[in-house]
Amino acid sequence: MARILITSAIPYINGIKHLGNLVGSQLPADLFARFCRARGDEVMFICATDEHGTPAELAAAKAGKPVEDYCAEMHEVQKELAAGFRLSFDHFGRSSSQRNHRLTQHFAGVLANNGLIREVSEKQVYSIDDKRFLPDRYIEGTCPNCGYTSARGDQCDNCTKQLDPTDLINPHSTVSGSTNLEVRETKHLYLMQRTLRDKLEAWIDSKTDWPILTTSIAKKWLNDGDGLQDRGITRDLYWGIPVKHGDQPWPGMEGKVFYVWFDAPIEYIAGTAEWADAHGLDNAAWERWWRTDKGASDVTYYQFMGKDNVPFHTLSFPATILGSGEPWKLVDYLKSFNYLNYDGGQFSTSRGRGVFMDQALSILPSDYWRWWLLSHAPESSDAEFTWENFQASVNKDLADVLGNLVSRVTKFARAKFGETIPAGGSFGAQETALIADLGTRIKDYEGYMAAMEVRKAAAELRGIWVVGNEYLQSAAPWTVVKTDPEQAQAMIRLAINLIRIYAILSQPFIPDASATMMSALNSTDWTWPNNISEAIRALPVDHGFAVPENLFRKITDEERAEWQVKFSGIRT
């Protein structure tokens, strides 16, 4: 039994996430966690809400709530939606937890002790009316290059020119609209990442099995332009983890907090500690996942994220871990994803464009979405959600292929042979051939899942469903029953057992439908079908079964057209 640690990039707190966010991190991580558990591995699957930084403060102000209350409410919303999509986290934590406060302050202290933190004086724009320093992106004005009136303090979105806030003409605060701004000097702490460049490069070079997308982004940030840069780890904000040197005050850093990029990935560790706390366990329970001197040396650690998060997880967070000099577990495999686009454009949380998690669940159960998103995961390139493709995939794969097989077999068996699995006949050449074919296909499916090749795994799973349909079409027990009822009984005995195998194999993709299949078969045996010959005989003669409700319904043309219009605009 392997020990598998899985973390998904933690979603930001300011709003409900769209389907592009879901398929870029949390959903494939859940797929892999479910597969590993099904195979008998010990799994720790951690996620959390990312709660600090200016966007959280602004979102709270827009909602008219204290930022602490807003974050607590949105954490519960995101937790509930994760449950709605059947994301099987062992713990869904919060980066604002006291565990993360203490651990972030600990890392800052040991990095400073190791000579990897330096103090930098810099000039920033201060809003007198807002009584706060403003990050560059919260200053807008007219671009001096193209005249665009909504250029940000870091870049003009119209002409793409890189800017400093002081370059803008007539700048104003996007927090309040105030033009009462001035440049003030402030001090911040920087992590000296450049000092760790050789260690980081050697570590990245050792990961020869990583996806090309992951390593290409890491190498680009490591080497392009001026290469790896030292990076600020503090901000002049109210909401965040107070800057401390371990548990001691940090002279000159009073009133400052750690920058969100620094504390957020530390929450992976802190979240595991939160899991231990929630279960009344001691520190040893979580340290065995994260400290190589406490048992984590035999853990394999997998991270899942969108490509925009790769630089932080291949450079900055590893710099924190390596720079500490302490025996923390580094990631072994980082699975990154391209973007999922929406109906000719981009999904966008800030612009409210696309289908969001709550909206999706309001019109269809989670399995419909899980199947489409995973079978179209943006692995080798960006992918696009269209309503036509969604309808076709649901209707063909789920309703026609899998749902139809389960319905036909159980209804026919019930009508012809009663409420238990029939005893007659024995397997012939067709059944033997099917068993051999399934054995090969299941091995291929396992290989794709273990390698986290999500789309290939989905295609192989669909192929496994298809061969069952092809067998039934060829064997035709509904015809054979008229001339050889004993042989028809053997065919149905195999087909009912096949449904159980499908439930087990499909559970990582479509957990609710799999649970429905197992319930109808009156079985709680989720043993992975390592031996297909035994698995196809696992449900014995006279075992009771029921006809499940329709697993999947088809999406009508009228529904598709209605949803396409409903979700074509901007979410308010």
Side-chain angles (χ1 to χ4, degrees):
M1 182 174 69
R3 295 179 60 218
I4 308 295
L5 174 63
I6 301 169
T7 62
S8 162
I10 64 179
Y12 201 67
I13 197 70
N14 64 337
I16 292 167
K17 304 300 112 176
H18 55 64
L19 296 184
N21 297 135
L22 181 64
V23 76
S25 56
Q26 293 175 308
L27 188 54
D30 178 71
L31 177 80
F32 188 61
R34 287 177 176 275
F35 169 71
C36 291
R37 292 191 194 106
R39 298 279 291 137
D41 296 329
E42 183 185 5
V43 173
M44 179 60 66
F45 180 21
I46 296 294
C47 194
T49 38
D50 182 2
E51 300 187 7
H52 294 136
T54 303
E57 290 188 15
L58 295 183
K62 188 175 181 181
K65 298 175 181 178
V67 65
E68 295 91 337
D69 295 348
Y70 172 81
C71 288
E73 289 178 19
M74 286 307 303
H75 171 79
E76 289 304 312
V77 168
Q78 293 202 23
K79 184 178 180 180
E80 187 175 321
L81 287 171
F85 272 92
R86 307 298 185 253
L87 303 179
S88 60
F89 304 126
D90 287 287
H91 186 74
F92 187 66
R94 303 182 61 186
S95 69
S96 61
S97 71
Q98 284 305 303
R99 278 287 193 178
N100 202 36
H101 276 233
R102 293 194 295 272
L103 201 53
T104 298
Q105 290 162 348
H106 166 79
F107 272 110
V110 295
L111 289 166
N113 291 342
N114 292 341
L116 292 170
I117 301 289
R118 63 186 175 96
E119 192 174 290
V120 175
S121 292
E122 54 187 40
K123 292 182 178 179
Q124 280 185 243
V125 174
Y126 185 86
S127 171
I128 295 170
D129 294 334
D130 295 322
K131 298 182 176 62
R132 64 184 295 168
F133 284 96
L134 296 175
D136 294 349
R137 61 180 297 192
Y138 291 102
I139 307 162
E140 286 189 1
T142 300
C143 175
N145 185 54
C146 71
Y148 181 58
T149 57
S150 296
R152 294 196 311 253
D154 55 354
Q155 183 178 11
C156 175
D157 288 338
N158 186 54
C159 69
T160 72
K161 184 177 178 61
Q162 299 290 310
L163 299 170
D164 288 320
T166 51
D167 296 331
L168 295 173
I169 300 167
N170 300 322
H172 64 270
S173 162
T174 61
V175 178
S176 63
S178 173
T179 59
N180 195 11
L181 311 178
E182 66 180 27
V183 176
R184 292 186 180 180
E185 190 168 283
T186 184
K187 291 181 179 180
H188 285 292
L189 302 178
Y190 273 63
L191 174 59
M192 298 166 65
Q193 296 186 143
R194 283 182 294 185
T195 303
L196 296 162
R197 188 191 182 285
D198 291 345
K199 284 186 177 180
L200 287 167
E201 185 171 35
W203 174 69
I204 292 168
D205 286 343
S206 73
K207 304 302 178 183
T208 56
D209 60 339
W210 279 9
I212 294 173
L213 179 64
T214 300
T215 50
S216 63
I217 293 173
K219 289 292 187 72
K220 178 180 173 64
W221 278 69
L222 192 67
N223 299 315
D224 275 13
D226 295 326
L228 185 66
Q229 296 297 304
D230 295 348
R231 191 172 180 89
I233 63 168
T234 59
R235 280 292 183 266
D236 291 293
L237 294 174
Y238 153 71
W239 177 238
I241 297 176
V243 177
K244 286 187 176 182
H245 189 293
D247 59 357
Q248 299 300 311
W250 202 309
M253 292 293 125
E254 297 82 3
K256 299 180 190 291
V257 300
F258 286 107
Y259 196 3
V260 62
W261 78 260
F262 183 69
D263 79 73
I266 295 171
E267 171 59 20
Y268 298 140
I269 306 173
T272 315
E274 294 168 44
W275 161 84
D277 294 341
H279 288 83
L281 302 173
D282 60 14
N283 285 338
W286 68 264
E287 287 175 341
R288 66 187 288 265
W289 291 100
W290 284 102
R291 298 274 305 198
T292 57
D293 60 337
K294 301 289 181 66
S297 56
D298 64 348
V299 169
T300 306
Y301 177 20
Y302 298 86
Q303 291 177 346
F304 290 78
M305 68 198 63
K307 59 185 177 184
D308 53 329
N309 270 317
V310 170
F312 294 107
H313 289 79
T314 56
L315 299 174
S316 297
F317 184 41
T320 298
I321 298 294
L322 290 169
S324 75
E326 296 179 333
W328 297 101
K329 178 68 183 175
L330 281 159
V331 65
D332 293 295
Y333 192 91
L334 196 155
K335 175 72 173 181
S336 57
F337 291 85
N338 287 284
Y339 295 139
L340 178 69
N341 294 319
Y342 177 71
D343 226 5
Q346 290 184 326
F347 276 96
S348 172
T349 299
S350 61
R351 295 180 176 86
R353 186 177 193 279
V355 183
F356 290 74
M357 290 172 69
D358 59 335
Q359 296 171 327
L361 293 178
S362 74
I363 59 176
L364 284 172
S366 61
D367 278 354
Y368 293 71
W369 301 104
R370 286 178 64 105
W371 174 252
W372 189 91
L373 290 167
L374 290 167
S375 61
H376 294 77
E379 290 177 295
S380 59
S381 63
D382 290 353
E384 181 166 13
F385 176 91
T386 69
W387 287 102
E388 291 82 2
N389 188 293
F390 178 63
Q391 178 192 26
S393 182
V394 165
N395 290 357
K396 188 172 183 182
D397 297 348
L398 298 181
D400 285 347
V401 179
L402 179 61
N404 188 45
L405 179 143
V406 173
S407 178
R408 277 200 302 170
V409 167
T410 54
K411 285 180 179 177
F412 176 76
R414 198 65 176 248
K416 295 297 182 180
F417 306 120
E419 299 178 358
T420 61
I421 294 176
S426 59
F427 294 165
Q430 281 185 292
E431 290 73 35
T432 301
L434 174 64
I435 291 168
D437 189 15
L438 284 172
T440 300
R441 287 178 176 273
I442 290 171
K443 285 287 183 286
D444 290 342
Y445 174 64
E446 291 172 345
Y448 292 136
M449 289 288 273
M452 287 159 286
E453 295 189 64
V454 179
R455 289 178 77 144
K456 288 181 179 179
E460 192 61 50
L461 179 59
R462 185 186 184 280
I464 291 170
W465 299 341
V466 167
V467 296
N469 278 278
E470 291 174 343
Y471 162 76
L472 287 171
Q473 206 63 27
S474 174
W478 26 84
T479 301
V480 173
V481 73
K482 300 170 186 175
T483 58
D484 189 350
E486 291 279 308
Q487 186 57 32
Q489 288 181 42
M491 293 173 178
I492 288 302
R493 191 163 63 251
L494 177 143
I496 291 175
N497 272 281
L498 187 61
I499 292 172
R500 175 183 162 274
I501 292 170
Y502 283 179
I504 296 167
L505 297 177
S506 305
Q507 190 261 6
F509 282 90
I510 46 174
D512 285 353
S514 293
T516 298
M517 286 188 269
M518 289 293 267
S519 178
L521 297 180
N522 193 28
S523 176
T524 57
D525 181 6
W526 290 89
T527 305
W528 191 263
N530 292 311
N531 185 322
I532 186 64
S533 186
E534 291 179 3
I536 208 72
R537 297 172 171 85
L539 297 178
V541 169
D542 295 331
H543 180 87
F545 69 93
V547 177
E549 290 186 26
N550 194 22
L551 280 185
F552 297 100
R553 70 170 185 84
K554 290 192 173 184
I555 298 171
T556 66
D557 291 344
E558 292 74 20
E559 284 176 315
R560 174 184 53 75
E562 176 192 339
W563 295 336
Q564 200 159 10
V565 170
K566 182 177 181 180
F567 299 109
S568 63
I570 300 299
R571 177 178 183 144
T572 57

